[in-house]
Amino acid sequence: TGSNIEIVVPAMTALMAATETRHLFSASGGIKYLARQLRASSKKTSMGMGMGMGGNETNNIGINMESGHATVQQLYELTFCLWCMSYELNGSPNIRADFAKDGAATEALTIMVSSAPREKVVRVALSALVNLATCSAEEFPGIGPAGMTMTKVDGGVFLTDMLACKLLKSIQFLEERQFTDPDIVEDIKTLHKLLADNYKEMSRWEVYKTEVESGHLQWGSTHTEAFFKENARMIEGKDSDFKILKVLIALLSSKDDEITAIACYDIGEFVRFYPNGKAIAKRLGAKELVMPLIEHENVDLQRHALQAVSKMMVNNWEYVK
């Protein structure tokens, strides 16, 4: 709650003063806590609709200021703490791993950039994202605590997460604004180039796979009939485990109506274009989760759920759509 954050934030800010305490903070789950608080205390606006373009209900900044959540100053201080922690990335594989867990920190920083509660929040969020995007894995032992093998994490991993969170769209929107702070301008240019270069290297399937695995589904060119005609077989996976389909089915339970609607659409298109897709989707429990959504209060979600069920039940969808 807002009152708890008010008590905790000053103490966390004090911990950022020294490298040793930053490492202790990370080892105690601090990065995950910061990311969770930022996501819980902010209301994500649609990409390109932030930057003071929201309605009166959200104080015109995409942040809910009347629900007991963090104030803009508290959001700044939480983001400041993540920014401070990002300076330990190059020297600590453990901190890189903590930042990479579930893509939560990247998502939280992206929300701060896209909703843009204040310029000072954007400044530290952009700087932290640049640190993530440019970090190296030269300090990488390969073996973690208890002899466990560690996954190598570097800037490329974070850039992939940023693309999944649609940061490139937010950066393109920021480029249209006139910032007087040269650091903001430089960070925007740096992130745009890094994200654009990374995007060019990824196939459309890789972009889609990354988006689904992140859970941040948004309508775009990878959620179309043309895409699934070309890529439906890729959903099978290298090990024929249908991992991406399983993630889509899990996203049917998302609290975000748009994400659920897109998951319905994608599952329906998989069923249309993958041989025996109906049986596979039904076996994995898709139909049972989609059926109740037909009566959902959100009309758009209701429509996509009905279409998904229809695709699972009819043989020639093109004749009834």
Side-chain angles (χ1 to χ4, degrees), residues 119-120 122-124 126 174 179-189:
E119 185 170 307
K120 65 179 183 179
V122 175
R123 182 188 303 112
V124 289
L126 284 172
L174 289 179
F179 289 103
T180 56
D181 188 325
D183 290 336
I184 291 181
V185 174
E186 185 61 32
D187 285 344
I188 289 172
K189 288 181 180 178

Side-chain angles (χ1 to χ4, degrees), residues 11-61:
M12 290 193 299
T13 304
L15 290 173
M16 298 299 110
T19 294
E20 183 178 354
T21 52
R22 291 178 191 174
H23 282 255
L24 289 172
F25 180 74
S26 177
S28 302
I31 292 172
K32 181 179 179 181
Y33 174 81
L34 289 170
R36 185 172 69 246
Q37 288 300 324
L38 279 171
R39 290 188 298 172
S41 300
S42 62
K43 180 180 179 181
K44 188 175 182 182
T45 58
S46 60
M47 297 299 181
M49 289 296 290
M51 302 304 296
M53 294 176 66
N56 293 331
E57 295 293 324
T58 57
N59 201 31
N60 286 337
I61 56 174

